[in-house]
Amino acid sequence: MEQHKARKVVGLSLPFPGARRPLEEGAKLGMWDFVPLEGPRVQIPPADVYILAAWDPIYERLLNIGGKIGVLFTSSAGEMDLEPVEQEYLRGILADPRVSFVWFGDKALAEVYPEKGFWAPYPLETGGELPKVQKQDIVTLFCPTGPKKNSLNTLLGVRLAQRRTDFVLHTNIQGYDDVLRDVKHVRHGWLKKEDYQALLASARLNLAVSWCETYCYSVAEAGLLGTASLVSWTVPVPGVVVNNPNDPQEIAECIIWALGGQGFTDPAQIRYEVEQFARRQNQVLKDILTQRLASV
């Protein structure tokens, strides 16, 4: 999005990997500037509009910085139900007159709170090229460990699928040692970006069967690298959809189906679908924010 001529927009974020990602992607596309709130001294440039990623009480110190303040609220209602403190945060944001708008990633929340809120999709920069990598019998599961990711159902589905087809799970998930004991897997710690991307590109399938999300950048990343993802209905990025994420047997069947070459195997086509999805979403975001930021 070309910034509105009368508006300088800056995104700010504490070290929240998921919540800051939309602001990072938007900055890559020239929609705004992005400043991570990290380190002992942070220089925040003057701006007409500041967008804060998610919420933390520390942000209270920034609400009188000048300019209009907005909050990018990345949680859905389901995620707030799993993390009750976020319900308290949202109540405070909506009641605080210093917060001019709330950009919701969840359409339903925007409908519930229209006084300050609006929905807009998240941006995705799709530069680069499809890597030329030999696919291996690898399935990946990379996500923060937490209830919204539906990890137990997913791991049980992997366990069932491995009884019928041969693959190795590569994951960074913590805990679940009793389940993983019976799963062929490699557990990773923090990976360098290039190593993470190489692993995703070499995988035959990526897993993201979440209970609740407003996006899932790991699915987008995998798709741009030519790897399809198994997702639930809550994930808006193109993927192979599991109808019942509470059923390990269905997850297993979908894994076997996907690994069996039933479509979703052409890396170029997988990347193309994510690129087209991103192009549409980026344009919708530009149109909405151009209108909204001009009026605050």
Side-chain angles (χ1 to χ4, degrees), residues 143-162:
C143 62
T145 302
K148 77 172 186 176
K149 295 298 184 178
N150 196 24
S151 300
L152 182 57
N153 274 313
T154 301
L155 291 174
L156 292 175
V158 168
R159 180 175 172 177
L160 289 173
Q162 285 185 342

Side-chain angles (χ1 to χ4, degrees), residues 160-227:
L160 289 173
Q162 285 185 342
R163 294 177 182 174
R164 295 166 53 190
T165 189
D166 189 32
F167 66 90
V168 177
L169 177 72
H170 285 249
T171 184
N172 69 337
I173 201 162
Q174 299 300 306
Y176 302 98
D177 292 349
D178 57 332
V179 179
L180 285 169
R181 190 176 299 117
D182 297 311
V183 171
K184 288 184 288 186
H185 73 281
V186 176
R187 178 177 270 161
H188 297 271
W190 182 84
L191 291 171
K192 294 180 179 179
K193 181 179 179 180
E194 55 269 25
D195 295 334
Y196 170 69
Q197 290 180 335
L199 186 58
L200 274 184
S202 67
R204 295 176 61 198
L205 185 67
N206 180 58
L207 302 178
V209 192
S210 303
W211 284 124
C212 41
E213 298 269 13
T214 56
Y215 202 80
C216 191
Y217 275 101
S218 68
V219 173
E221 289 170 337
L224 292 175
L225 294 167
T227 299

Side-chain angles (χ1 to χ4, degrees), residues 34-96:
F34 175 69
V35 178
L37 301 176
E38 299 174 357
R41 301 189 65 178
V42 178
Q43 295 293 326
I44 299 176
D48 300 296
V49 178
Y50 294 97
I51 304 175
L52 305 177
W55 186 257
D56 186 277
I58 292 175
Y59 284 146
E60 290 278 350
R61 306 174 189 175
L62 301 176
L63 294 184
N64 295 315
I65 195 174
K68 299 294 185 179
I69 303 292
V71 175
L72 168 56
F73 200 83
T74 55
S75 291
S76 65
E79 288 171 274
M80 287 198 297
D81 208 15
L82 294 172
E83 298 288 346
V85 68
E86 294 189 356
Q87 299 176 44
E88 179 183 343
Y89 288 163
L90 182 56
R91 284 193 294 270
I93 292 166
L94 293 170
D96 196 318

Side-chain angles (χ1 to χ4, degrees), residues 90-160:
L90 182 56
R91 284 193 294 270
I93 292 166
L94 293 170
D96 196 318
R98 295 171 296 176
V99 177
S100 298
F101 64 89
V102 182
W103 166 10
F104 286 108
D106 183 355
K107 287 184 177 180
L109 288 179
E111 290 289 333
V112 174
Y113 303 109
E115 296 81 7
K116 279 188 181 180
F118 63 89
W119 171 84
Y122 301 153
L124 176 65
E125 195 273 325
T126 60
E129 297 181 353
L130 182 69
K132 296 180 180 180
V133 177
Q134 182 67 40
K135 291 290 186 181
Q136 301 178 36
D137 290 329
I138 288 174
V139 171
T140 52
L141 172 61
F142 284 92
C143 62
T145 302
K148 77 172 186 176
K149 295 298 184 178
N150 196 24
S151 300
L152 182 57
N153 274 313
T154 301
L155 291 174
L156 292 175
V158 168
R159 180 175 172 177
L160 289 173

